[in-house]
Amino acid sequence: MFADRAKIFIRSGKGGDGHVSFRRELYVPNGGPDGGDGGRGGDVIFEVDEGLNTLQDYRHRKKFAAKDGESGQKRRCHGSDAEDIILKVPEGTVIKDADSDKVIADMSGDNRRQIVLKGGRGGLGNQHFATATMQIPKYAQPGQPAQELWVKLELKVIADVGLIGFPNVGKSTLLSRVTNAQPKIANYHFTTLNPNLGVVDMEDAKGFVIADIPGLIEGASLGVGLGHEFLRHIERTKMMIHVVDAAGSEGRDPVDDIYKINQELEAYNPEIAARPQVIAANKIDMIYEQDDENPVDRLKKVFEPKGIRVFPISGVTGKGLKELLYYVAEQLKGLSQETVVFEQEYFPENELIYLELPYTVEKEDGIYVVEGPKIEKMLGYTNLDSEKGFAFFQKFLKDTGILSELEAAGIQEGDTVKMYGLQFDYYK
């Protein structure tokens, strides 16, 4: 089946830890600190690959992680930066946070490459923490933690015009006749399962990209059948050609079909339903003389007063196609030429900051107790007896939001804060 969706886990690399060491040379028994800095963790980068048209590569492999940065070494040696991991996707792929369904990146238009998760910065070695009063610092900074996230990948095809309509109305036949696309064509009573793309070349007009959107059915907007999988591919189109079986060869009423499909578009996304439409009354080669009103005339009587043009065509013989295509090309001139790009709604660098440092703030017997695994680790390498170390500790409390949390909990100047056996008085 056509792979246009996937859910994967991504993780950036942790920054390498700073190193604690001291010069040890002949005749220099008490040399200064020379611990090197840690290397940067690898980024997770998404990149458009023009050779891809599905998300098949992500159907079976679900986890992708960048390497961690290398720890610093003695003699001021810097740890190596880790390589980034680059995930190739087809143009038109939208990357979303799996939990909130918010857009992180849309790999369309000018956006060909985007860093989605940044690797952690490397920690500073103990060489950076020496002062006049603290000449032998025995602590170094740990590397910044990795970021991790479950994301959804959704491929939304990029086309100027979408062919919509019920199954078996002749969309695939129409596409094969007017473009270089080669969709599978048969008298299916279900539907094409792949959105097929083709380019319409015009002799004296600008060509355009057209997509055969797999056939819709009633209830598609509610996910009936494969509704949502199909409807997403309409989201970038600038206008739509609504194909109907004017001959009623399947025993369907073409006017009723148009109303039903438009109701599904309205239910899915009113903005899409409001985009320009033109009706292609297909299969006119199968309309025979009859006493009743000609079905094409009936379509024109119902929809042209609403501003929707009706073109009688035959996808089999090609009759009427030239008039339809030149009308569509003319309409596209007045529409925006920009690719529809979905704006970023989710920013991992902001959303994941508190996931990096879980902690709790509670008041027990008048003392504010702060706990969390990363806090315990930080206290293990920070020398609070030095001015530099205490300044680093204060910055840590501010950057992680712990000070704001304490103030929200009602802490006052002079109150006591306790962290894993360490107690100190709070002052602004």
Side-chain angles (χ1 to χ4, degrees):
M1 185 173 174
F2 180 68
D4 60 357
R5 289 188 306 163
K7 181 179 178 180
I8 62 173
F9 174 83
I10 55 175
R11 178 189 181 276
S12 63
K14 173 190 174 298
D17 295 335
H19 188 69
V20 175
S21 62
F22 300 89
R23 286 174 56 203
R24 290 293 181 264
E25 300 174 15
L26 191 63
Y27 310 119
V28 188
N30 297 312
D34 69 351
D37 303 341
R40 178 186 63 81
D43 297 335
V44 178
I45 301 172
F46 282 82
E47 187 174 271
V48 170
D49 185 334
E50 304 290 352
L52 296 177
N53 55 20
T54 77
L55 294 170
Q56 187 64 40
D57 292 347
Y58 303 100
R59 291 298 291 271
H60 303 294
R61 184 182 172 190
K62 297 292 185 181
K63 296 190 176 182
F64 300 85
K67 300 287 188 182
D68 296 337
E70 189 178 55
S71 296
Q73 303 296 324
K74 59 185 178 180
R75 297 181 181 174
R76 300 177 181 256
C77 289
H78 194 293
S80 298
D81 293 340
E83 287 188 11
D84 301 327
I85 183 170
I86 299 176
L87 304 181
K88 301 292 184 71
V89 293
E91 184 176 11
T93 300
V94 179
I95 304 160
K96 295 182 176 181
D97 169 53
D99 291 332
S100 67
D101 210 39
K102 292 181 177 179
V103 175
I104 299 173
D106 184 353
M107 308 306 294
S108 307
D110 295 331
N111 189 23
R112 319 305 286 178
R113 179 183 171 97
Q114 181 163 332
I115 298 173
V116 171
L117 293 183
K118 283 184 173 287
R121 292 192 305 272
L124 299 176
N126 69 332
Q127 59 173 307
H128 295 278
F129 300 102
T131 67
T133 57
M134 174 57 66
Q135 297 183 4
I136 50 171
K138 297 180 179 179
Y139 59 91
Q141 211 175 26
Q144 199 176 40
Q147 294 183 333
E148 55 187 45
L149 196 62
W150 278 95
V151 296
K152 292 195 300 188
L153 309 181
E154 294 183 355
L155 177 58
K156 300 177 190 284
V157 299
I158 297 177
D160 301 304
V161 178
L163 293 177
I164 60 172
F166 273 91
N168 205 33
V169 295
K171 299 191 305 299
S172 296
T173 302
L174 173 59
L175 183 74
S176 68
R177 180 167 276 276
V178 302
T179 75
N180 56 357
Q182 297 180 332
K184 292 180 180 179
I185 301 170
N187 188 28
Y188 295 128
H189 285 86
F190 42 98
T191 181
T192 305
L193 292 180
N194 300 353
N196 295 294
L197 289 175
V199 178
V200 177
D201 291 319
M202 314 286 286
E203 286 186 10
D204 51 358
K206 184 179 179 182
F208 53 88
V209 179
I210 191 169
D212 167 18
I213 306 301
L216 302 176
I217 60 176
E218 288 179 77
S221 59
L222 301 175
V224 175
L226 299 175
H228 282 164
E229 283 80 351
F230 295 159
L231 282 164
R232 81 163 56 89
H233 295 296
I234 305 175
E235 294 184 14
R236 296 192 199 271
T237 56
K238 299 178 177 66
M239 70 176 295
M240 285 166 281
I241 299 176
H242 202 142
V243 185
V244 292
D245 177 1
S249 61
E250 296 285 314
R252 305 185 61 89
D253 178 1
V255 172
D256 187 51
D257 280 359
I258 291 173
Y259 280 129
K260 285 177 177 175
I261 292 295
N262 283 340
Q263 285 171 1
E264 294 303 325
L265 295 181
E266 178 72 28
Y268 180 71
N269 187 331
E271 190 273 328
I272 294 174
R275 292 178 192 168
Q277 272 191 36
V278 59
I279 295 171
N282 195 21
K283 302 188 181 182
I284 58 171
D285 55 294
M286 298 175 64
I287 298 175
Y288 306 104
E289 290 186 13
Q290 52 192 6
D291 296 332
D292 298 333
E293 181 181 16
N294 182 289
V296 174
D297 292 339
R298 179 168 167 249
L299 285 165
K300 288 184 176 183
K301 184 183 296 184
V302 174
F303 293 103
E304 291 201 337
K306 303 176 189 290
I308 303 174
R309 288 285 302 275
V310 177
F311 287 85
I313 68 163
S314 170
V316 173
T317 67
K319 185 176 181 179
L321 292 181
K322 183 176 181 180
E323 292 81 359
L324 170 65
L325 296 177
Y326 274 94
Y327 174 79
V328 170
E330 189 63 30
Q331 293 300 302
L332 287 171
K333 286 182 183 178
L335 302 177
S336 171
Q337 300 304 304
E338 296 294 324
T339 300
V340 176
V341 177
F342 298 94
E343 295 294 328
Q344 185 170 2
E345 304 168 314
Y346 185 96
F347 298 84
E349 64 272 22
N350 298 330
E351 301 282 353
L352 298 177
I353 183 171
Y354 293 112
L355 296 181
E356 294 176 1
L357 189 71
Y359 63 86
T360 59
V361 175
E362 297 179 354
K363 189 174 182 181
E364 299 176 1
D365 300 326
I367 295 176
Y368 291 84
V369 180
V370 181
E371 292 184 339
K374 297 289 180 67
I375 298 172
E376 184 177 18
K377 182 178 178 181
M378 184 276 303
L379 289 172
Y381 63 70
T382 303
N383 184 352
L384 299 180
D385 293 332
S386 76
E387 182 179 347
K388 188 115 178 180
F390 196 75
F392 170 71
F393 173 65
Q394 286 181 308
K395 185 176 186 300
F396 170 85
L397 295 180
K398 181 179 179 182
D399 290 348
T400 55
I402 293 176
L403 286 183
S404 298
E405 193 82 15
L406 286 167
E407 290 170 1
I411 196 169
Q412 302 294 323
E413 289 200 6
D415 287 348
T416 301
V417 178
K418 181 179 180 181
M419 296 184 185
Y420 293 96
L422 172 72
Q423 290 192 183
F424 61 93
D425 294 333
Y426 172 80
Y427 291 101
K428 283 192 175 182

